[in-house]
Amino acid sequence: EALVDCKKAIELDPGFIKAYLRASKCLVHLGNLEEAENMLQTIKARPEGARDRTVVAEIVELEKTKKMLADFNRCVREGKETLAVRTLDPLLESISANADLQLRAAQVLLVLKRWKRVSALADKLYRNNPSNPDILTLRGKCYYNNGNVSGAQQHFRQVLQSDPDHREAQKWFKLIKKLENKKAEGNNAFKAGNYQAAYDRYGEALA
């Protein structure tokens, strides 16, 4: 909404520097860095923008954000999650409203087992995208890690109902089914007095 208002203001007054600056900030928050850069370069090309120090400062900040994003993407591609996570806080502060980046950040944190932060990001993403299969799968993993197996299973089942070929949800749903089967076998063995077999099945379930 703020972005729409800024664009309307620019249409009415193409030399309105503050509208360009505010629009570029909105675009950066959304992750539209190319459009933000175009916005800043447009006003910089005008006489009033070329003399404005704030415009130059915003261009410098945008370049920093672009570099952080490029470094993050490179580290993720190369499997260097420990290095990728170093840029996350400032990157997510700059690009604060881009669900794709937040999801990728959560997946990096998941590899590093930073479960508290993963859960916080998963919940935030879920509030805005409650039917996204990748977000539901991520949240299901958090539930599983917290010991809420039924909640995790519910998330994976919901994904597979809308996307039966979702591989990650398939894998985790099968894992939970296997866990349930081992527990059931252990319970049956225990009831039958076969305590060693029960112990083995429980151990397999926990492995």
Side-chain angles (χ1 to χ4, degrees), residues 56-171:
V56 176
E58 285 299 317
I59 292 173
V60 171
E61 286 301 312
L62 176 58
E63 288 301 318
K64 289 180 181 178
T65 300
K66 287 170 60 180
K67 185 179 185 308
M68 283 193 296
L69 181 60
D71 288 345
F72 173 78
N73 288 335
R74 176 178 52 77
C75 289
V76 171
R77 284 196 307 271
E78 295 174 357
K80 298 177 180 178
E81 286 81 7
T82 303
L83 293 178
V85 79
R86 293 179 183 177
T87 65
L88 271 188
D89 286 337
L91 187 57
L92 291 176
E93 184 177 347
S94 295
I95 306 175
S96 60
N98 185 286
D100 178 66
L101 177 60
Q102 290 171 353
L103 180 59
R104 289 191 293 127
Q107 289 166 343
V108 167
L109 292 164
L110 184 68
V111 173
L112 299 175
K113 301 187 185 302
R114 307 277 181 88
W115 286 104
K116 187 175 181 179
R117 289 197 64 187
V118 176
S119 295
L121 278 171
D123 288 343
K124 180 179 180 180
L125 287 163
Y126 179 77
R127 284 193 293 271
N128 297 320
N129 303 275
S131 59
N132 181 291
D134 293 330
I135 293 171
L136 282 167
T137 301
L138 175 68
R139 200 164 184 250
K141 292 177 185 179
C142 293
Y143 271 58
Y144 183 86
N145 180 70
N146 290 331
N148 188 346
V149 177
S150 62
Q153 188 176 40
Q154 183 179 346
H155 278 68
F156 301 135
R157 182 182 289 113
Q158 184 177 343
V159 172
L160 294 174
Q161 285 173 347
S162 61
D163 184 3
D165 297 324
H166 195 286
R167 291 186 178 181
E168 197 68 8
Q170 283 180 345
K171 183 180 79 172

Side-chain angles (χ1 to χ4, degrees), residues 24-64:
S24 70
K25 284 183 179 292
C26 291
L27 289 164
V28 170
H29 284 305
L30 292 169
N32 298 337
L33 304 188
E34 185 176 347
E35 190 176 350
E37 185 174 18
N38 290 338
M39 188 74 66
L40 290 171
Q41 292 297 341
T42 298
I43 189 58
K44 186 186 176 187
R46 297 180 65 89
E48 56 268 57
R51 298 188 301 268
D52 193 288
R53 293 180 180 179
T54 309
V55 173
V56 176
E58 285 299 317
I59 292 173
V60 171
E61 286 301 312
L62 176 58
E63 288 301 318
K64 289 180 181 178

